[in-house]
Amino acid sequence: MSLSFGGIRALRGVSLAVREGETLAVIGPNGSGKTSLFNCISGAYQPGAGDISFDGASLLRLSPDRVARRGIARTFQNLRLFLGMPVMENLLVGRHLHFRRNLLSAALRLRREEIRHRDRCEEIIEFLDLEPYRKLRAGDCPYGVQKRVELGRALALEPRLLLLDEPASGLTGEEKEEVAYWLHEVRGRFGVTLVFVEHDLRFASRLAARMIALDRGEKIAEGTPEEVQRRPEVERAYLGDAA
Amino acid sequence: MDLVETWREELRFAPGRVTRALLAAAVAFSIALPFLGQPAWIVRGTLVAITAIGVMGQNLLVGYAGQVSFGQAGFLAIGAYAFAHLQGLPWLLALLGAGLVSALAGVVVGFPSLRLKGPYLAIATLGFGIAAYQLLANVPALSGGRMGLAVQRPSLLSLYWTDVALLGVFALATTNLISSYAGRALMAVRDSEIAAESMGVNLTRTKLLAFAISSFYTGVHGALFAQFLGHLEPELFNVSEVLTQFVAITVGGLASVEGSIFGAAFVVLLPVIFGGLRWAVPVFFGASILAVLIFEPGGLAGALRKARLYLEQWPFR
């Protein structure tokens, strides 16, 4: 798949396959196209050429909400929470797709659906240790908690494919450990396929069995973490030509 | 101090002792007002109730869904004139009809919101308001020409009771809506369009829904206003009405149902207090917006929320 913005080619013929149930890490230096790749998959950008298919059906020209309906959820590198809403409501928006929507019963306060979905969100709150923050506005939560809320919101959607854009960036060492633990649990508990973008090679190699490396919009390596990190192209991309 | 034992209690209507007490006081006050024997205050109460319905609609659009619209004068006019033309029908049908015609116009006006944001959307919707005014001023078949349109006017007391009851219905429905999936979708779109979309919220549908609901409320506001006045002319729906509505949602409190009612009371009652100095009202309106933005961005509702939180947690803090 390829993506251009005017004269800038953000992705050049990148091709990758993700198998159901696996965990894939996408690594690469700044500006290498990792986030652009995610934006293409999730429908925020439309690739200029190529195809994206999920479960045998093409995702091309689908708006982000229809991609979500296919069972793909994502998080954002710079956090895109609903800052004015409490943490719990943020998670409930993640359940939006699963609601049986009916304006009349909403206006009449028939809460059966609400209770059903609240139950699921309470499970996620418990799972991610968010109890103390449940009623706090997302904008008032500390950064580490906001990252967790975003993960929780994506989980609430019950995705089959979860795209995480730098799940550990900006976190302290201890918080990174926690995120690694949760992602490990997420795979076990929700049986979700995981694709994540990461700068931190150590973090990435701990979670992912397979890795691809991007540089300047091109795929430069693919394989197990050890294989990828040993490739000279990857070293060059990360450390510059001098290395 | 209330102890919440399960989250199910939070789903109840008006949780918290202080909230329930305030609500009961407001209902008691509305019932007592006509018995005070002050016709002038019954008129004001009626006008506050009518205005509050429109302000609530405007607040759904601007405060909850984050779509800045200056088209309120147009929706108000559409509701008022639709009601005047539907007078042959039973009252409730005519009222619903006025709301629905206005909601339809809302959907049409909402289309630019799919492309435009912030000030650009404000200008596009302002254009609609002016166009509606011009249309009414120049098409006698719609507006009754220079003679205006007459609307049947019930007795003051029956106006008061119906309008206050309607405000109750609208306030209840709004409270329920915003705490449902629909309200969350509106706020999600306000806070981050891309995240809302990625969570499966359909932007087109949500924005147009916000416009439709909001202009339904404003249409009903217009219809009740027409009934209150008993007479309609296009001059009533010029751009200054938009300003009034904006003052109401800002001073009352963005994204708040009770704030919409406070805001409506503010814009209706302020000119009463000013009395002879009526020319100074717009100046004071402008100053009050500034004061709110500087000192209490949550408006009157925000100030009340803080006071209530303090009371509910007393003596703990």
Side-chain angles (χ1 to χ4, degrees), chain A residues 144-156:
Chain A
V145 173
Q146 291 192 357
K147 279 213 96 107
R148 254 188 280 162
V149 175
E150 208 178 41
L151 174 62
R153 186 179 67 182
L155 285 177

Side-chain angles (χ1 to χ4, degrees), chain B residues 45-313:
Chain B
T46 312
L47 207 50
V48 169
I50 294 172
T51 311
I53 294 175
V55 174
M56 228 176 262
Q58 171 80 335
N59 217 339
L60 272 175
L61 187 64
V62 180
Y64 286 99
Q67 307 298 310
V68 182
S69 159
F70 284 156
Q72 299 310 301
F75 298 124
L76 206 58
I78 290 174
Y81 279 95
F83 182 75
H85 286 290
L86 290 173
Q87 277 185 93
L89 295 174
W91 175 81
L92 194 60
L93 274 184
L95 190 69
L96 275 177
L100 289 176
V101 171
S102 181
L104 201 66
V107 171
V108 175
V109 175
F111 272 101
S113 75
L114 306 177
R115 292 274 167 194
L116 302 175
K117 283 199 181 102
Y120 304 101
L121 179 61
I123 291 169
T125 50
L126 183 65
F128 156 76
I130 294 171
Y133 168 73
Q134 289 294 338
L135 192 71
L136 288 170
N138 293 301
V139 182
L142 286 175
S143 61
R146 224 175 306 160
M147 300 292 293
L149 269 184
V151 182
Q152 209 184 357
R153 192 174 188 276
S155 78
L156 179 59
L157 265 184
S158 75
L159 264 182
Y160 177 82
W161 290 120
T162 42
D163 292 349
V164 166
L166 272 175
L167 172 61
V169 170
F170 273 90
L172 201 62
T174 314
T175 312
N176 295 346
L177 267 184
I178 56 167
S179 62
S180 76
Y181 75 89
R184 280 194 296 269
L186 296 185
M187 292 182 266
V189 167
R190 173 195 67 192
D191 284 355
S192 169
E193 287 193 3
I194 177 66
E197 260 190 309
S198 302
M199 290 297 118
V201 175
N202 183 320
L203 273 192
T204 307
R205 198 181 304 160
T206 308
K207 285 184 176 180
L208 293 184
L209 184 73
F211 269 93
I213 298 179
S214 158
S215 38
F216 178 84
Y217 281 51
T218 309
V220 169
H221 172 193
L224 296 175
F225 191 52
Q227 200 184 22
F228 173 82
L229 290 175
H231 183 81
L232 284 180
E233 46 191 310
E235 278 310 315
L236 291 166
F237 306 102
N238 62 25
V239 180
S240 76
E241 194 56 40
V242 175
L243 177 74
T244 312
Q245 294 246 346
F246 252 84
V247 172
I249 55 172
T250 320
V251 173
L254 283 173
S256 159
V257 173
E258 64 271 26
S260 307
I261 301 175
F262 299 151
F266 181 80
V267 295
V268 170
L269 299 182
L270 199 72
V272 176
I273 297 167
F274 270 71
L277 285 173
R278 205 154 273 219
W279 55 267
V281 168
V283 180
F284 195 79
F285 275 177
S288 60
I289 287 199
L290 275 181
V292 163
L293 292 181
I294 294 169
F295 298 113
E296 178 57 78
L300 295 170
L304 179 73
R305 200 175 304 134
K306 281 181 192 159
R308 192 179 59 190
L309 214 65
Y310 179 82
L311 280 176
E312 276 180 358
Q313 303 196 334

Side-chain angles (χ1 to χ4, degrees), chain A residues 5 79-80 108 114 158 238:
Chain A
F5 300 108
L79 292 182
R80 294 271 186 273
L108 293 175
E114 187 81 18
E158 289 182 46
Y238 265 85

Side-chain angles (χ1 to χ4, degrees), chain A residues 18-51:
Chain A
V18 186
R19 287 183 292 272
E20 186 160 2
E22 83 165 331
T23 301
L24 174 75
V26 180
I27 62 165
N30 282 327
S32 58
K34 305 183 299 288
T35 299
S36 295
L37 177 72
F38 269 25
N39 282 338
C40 284
I41 300 173
S42 68
Y45 297 159
Q46 293 300 330
D51 189 22

